Amino acid sequence: MTLGRDRLNWETDGRNWPNRSASQFVKTNACDWHVQIAGPDTAPMILLLHGTGASSHSWRHLVPLLSTRFRVVAPDLPGHGFTRPRGTTDLSLSGMVRALTELLSELDRCPAVIIGHSAGAAIAVTLAASKAAAVPRHVIGINGAYLPIRGNALFSPLAKALFANPFSASMFSLMSRVTPLGGNLLTATGSPIDEEGRAIYRVLLASPAHVRGALGMMAAWDLSRFDATLQRLPFPMTLIAAKDDPMVPIENSQHAARQAPGSRLVLTDKGGHLLHECRPADVVQWLDEAIGNQRPNGADAA
């Protein structure tokens, strides 16, 4: 990314984007979206929702694996990657759901399955529980962030203070270009992702606009009433969690499995926070098991 430029540019920053041929740009009232769409148009649709600070690239290994039999839709969330909000955009959980509902309406498709990672898992649950985009058959959360984060926190008053300071995002992005900041953040995920993924995270973190989107999402996040949303789900969900995730404790998924009636919990020893980026084939296997068979409320070892 060129020093001093605020937003990512698709022709330069996106020239080596994974699955670039699947990328489309879609306009709605809330956003100018970057969304990757792949797979047969007549196949059931899977909606992939990344976590805070990531983008559609985090699904780079899953898109080709799933698109042989599903219509895969993987957007950059508002304020992230190449998706640009139009004016002031609500980056809260409910605001994200409204924006995604607009996108699905524009695409004229309803997902059969919604998969979300980290904060994206909370968005997936809320979208399904709202029934705004019809009722999907299944929701799958990967290292889902379902509980309010207390004490440490980017999802805290610290994020609110950083977001309120107009220089915070620019300073963070500048630091990521001249120090190992980006590498340190990726190391903190506990996931051994490939160099392609690491390079794209460096590009994202060097963009003040992307950092503002991540900070804005964290500052607006409120999960204080999320248990009620889990209890409203019209079907069981599958929760996949890595025991060695240093960022979102597995207690999040264990708690959510107890709240969402009949849900299945899959615990795996290794993978870290970016489990779907370093073990995509296993995630696809768990997806197939989730759609075909469910063991209500029990924890399966994987």
Side-chain angles (χ1 to χ4, degrees), residues 3 36 40 53 72 80 154 197 213 228 231 267 297:
L3 188 64
Q36 295 199 315
V72 180
H80 290 65
L154 280 175
Q231 293 160 9
L267 298 179
N297 294 92

Side-chain angles (χ1 to χ4, degrees), residues 85-103:
R86 294 184 159 195
T88 302
T89 297
D90 184 355
L91 297 177
S92 68
L93 180 55
S94 58
M96 289 284 187
V97 168
R98 284 193 296 272
L100 284 164
T101 301
E102 272 192 8
L103 174 63

Side-chain angles (χ1 to χ4, degrees), residues 129 224-233 259:
S224 58
R225 300 180 180 178
F226 192 69
D227 281 1
T229 304
L230 286 163
Q231 293 160 9
R232 285 202 312 273
L233 268 180
Q259 297 300 313

Side-chain angles (χ1 to χ4, degrees), residues 4-297:
R5 182 151 48 80
D6 184 74
R7 294 185 178 277
L8 296 173
N9 180 281
W10 179 245
E11 296 308 319
T12 54
D13 301 309
R15 63 183 179 275
N16 295 318
W17 205 255
N19 306 304
R20 181 183 165 94
S21 61
S23 288
Q24 298 184 26
F25 291 86
V26 179
K27 294 182 182 294
T28 66
N29 290 331
C31 296
D32 294 332
W33 294 85
H34 169 241
V35 55
Q36 295 199 315
I37 302 176
D41 185 55
T42 56
M45 174 182 154
I46 287 188
L47 178 64
L48 305 178
L49 302 177
H50 65 77
T52 314
S55 72
S56 56
H57 89 282
S58 71
W59 305 107
R60 62 193 175 281
H61 301 307
L62 280 180
V63 169
L65 292 175
L66 294 174
S67 61
T68 58
R69 53 205 169 96
F70 295 100
R71 184 69 163 175
V72 180
V73 175
D76 291 348
L77 290 175
H80 290 65
F82 296 94
T83 292
R84 299 185 178 184
R86 294 184 159 195
T88 302
T89 297
D90 184 355
L91 297 177
S92 68
L93 180 55
S94 58
M96 289 284 187
V97 168
R98 284 193 296 272
L100 284 164
T101 301
E102 272 192 8
L103 174 63
L104 293 171
S105 177
E106 183 65 27
L107 296 176
D108 196 25
R109 293 296 298 264
C110 295
V113 179
I114 309 176
I115 306 179
H117 169 248
S118 192
I123 299 173
V125 169
T126 307
L127 181 62
S130 72
K131 303 180 184 179
V135 180
R137 293 201 302 265
H138 210 86
V139 169
I140 298 172
I142 302 170
N143 287 331
Y146 309 110
L147 292 170
I149 297 179
R150 299 176 178 87
N152 59 359
L154 280 175
F155 288 85
S156 72
L158 172 60
K160 292 177 171 61
L162 289 172
F163 183 64
N165 184 338
F167 300 107
S168 295
S170 296
M171 183 59 68
F172 188 97
S173 297
L174 177 61
M175 288 174 62
S176 75
R177 296 174 211 168
V178 299
T179 72
L181 174 62
N184 290 341
L185 286 174
L186 288 175
T187 300
T189 68
S191 299
I193 66 170
D194 56 18
E195 180 51 37
E196 179 185 39
R198 298 178 73 87
I200 292 177
Y201 278 112
R202 288 193 291 268
V203 169
L204 293 172
L205 291 173
S207 164
H210 175 83
V211 173
R212 275 198 307 276
L215 288 175
M217 184 176 174
M218 290 187 283
W221 217 239
D222 180 7
L223 295 175
S224 58
R225 300 180 180 178
F226 192 69
D227 281 1
T229 304
L230 286 163
Q231 293 160 9
R232 285 202 312 273
L233 268 180
F235 48 77
M237 66 179 292
T238 294
L239 305 106
I240 301 168
K243 295 178 183 178
D244 65 344
D245 181 353
M247 304 190 85
V248 177
I250 61 170
E251 286 78 14
N252 276 257
S253 294
Q254 291 170 328
H255 175 84
R258 291 191 295 269
Q259 297 300 313
S263 291
R264 177 184 181 225
L265 176 62
V266 178
L267 298 179
T268 187
D269 290 330
K270 299 293 184 182
H273 189 58
L274 303 178
L275 174 65
H276 59 303
E277 296 195 41
C278 59
R279 295 179 60 186
D282 290 326
V283 170
V284 171
Q285 179 182 335
W286 294 324
L287 163 68
D288 288 338
E289 292 170 356
I291 295 174
N293 301 291
Q294 278 195 300
R295 184 181 301 172
N297 294 92

